[in-house]
Amino acid sequence: MRLFAAVIPPPLAVDELDRAVGPLRALPDAKALRWTGRPGWHFTLAFMGEVDDELLPDLRARLSRAAHRTPAFPLRLHRGGRFGNRALWIGAAGGLEQMRLLAERTDAAARRAGVSMEEHRRYQAHLTIARTRESGDLRPYVEALDTFEGTPWEVDQLALVRSNLPVSGVPGERPRYEVVDSWALEAAG
């Protein structure tokens, strides 16, 4: 299975983001971007890639421990940003240190379970909303998102998500994401 650990925003946050992203699709050159959709909006904590079935029991046990050792924390969608001129994203504000800690713990859990992880990088909370294959100027989109502030919510779940890559060959088809397991974070307070 192709897996990643994630924080999934609640419906209220997704609705707010949808209202903020809608007008961006009308900006000049917006058709050159591949927009992610509501079902794909998440904060990836640790991307694991293909995971062998025999590693899943240990991976699940370790992710469960990581979740139970991490207190629930506040988060909200916050402003926009970009990775060069290839990806447009929404950031986060609130419990970023707790989110970074959860990302570190999920990465360590996967490594200890025997999952071959990419080179470790410092975590940066972001939710990708668009990508482009050709370099383009994403600054107008980032500027349009400069004042975007979502309503705070409490992150209280760690999700293990399966990424089902497109297989139909239909242009524009997107990966489908399926939560295969989730664990409650430690109760706040």
Side-chain angles (χ1 to χ4, degrees):
M1 278 192 256
R2 188 175 168 87
L3 299 172
F4 60 90
V7 165
I8 300 174
L12 172 66
V14 171
D15 290 345
E16 290 174 340
L17 180 55
D18 199 26
R19 286 191 297 273
V21 169
L24 300 181
R25 296 173 194 252
L27 291 176
D29 300 323
K31 291 193 184 329
L33 298 176
R34 291 176 312 180
W35 295 90
T36 61
R38 292 172 63 109
W41 287 345
H42 60 269
F43 289 94
T44 300
L45 297 171
F47 180 75
M48 298 166 207
E50 291 293 332
V51 176
D52 293 331
D53 287 346
E54 65 265 9
L55 299 179
L56 288 176
D58 191 31
L59 175 63
R60 283 184 161 112
R62 291 178 183 280
L63 289 173
S64 175
R65 283 195 298 273
H68 291 98
R69 289 180 29 224
T70 307
F73 55 91
L75 200 69
R76 71 180 186 277
L77 300 176
H78 173 75
R79 302 179 71 179
R82 61 191 171 107
F83 292 126
N85 284 318
R86 298 278 186 186
L88 179 64
W89 48 262
I90 293 293
L96 294 181
E97 193 55 34
Q98 295 97 321
M99 189 133 144
R100 185 200 58 75
L101 178 62
L102 184 58
E104 294 282 337
R105 286 178 172 162
T106 58
D107 181 89
R111 289 176 192 281
R112 289 184 183 121
V115 177
S116 176
M117 301 291 287
E118 294 179 1
E119 183 179 325
H120 182 72
R121 295 178 221 142
R122 178 146 175 94
Y123 182 73
Q124 179 179 352
H126 69 281
L127 184 157
T128 302
I129 58 172
R131 293 181 181 86
T132 181
R133 288 195 177 124
E134 305 204 10
S135 187
D137 187 5
L138 298 178
R139 288 177 298 181
Y141 303 94
V142 175
E143 289 168 9
L145 292 167
D146 193 50
T147 59
F148 176 69
E149 288 291 336
T151 302
W153 81 89
E154 183 174 89
V155 175
D156 60 2
Q157 293 283 315
L158 167 63
L160 181 62
V161 182
R162 180 179 184 172
S163 175
N164 299 295
L165 296 177
V167 293
S168 71
V170 174
E173 184 182 14
R174 298 180 180 133
R176 288 179 298 102
Y177 300 110
E178 165 191 3
V179 175
V180 294
D181 217 335
S182 65
W183 301 272
L185 301 185
E186 180 183 298

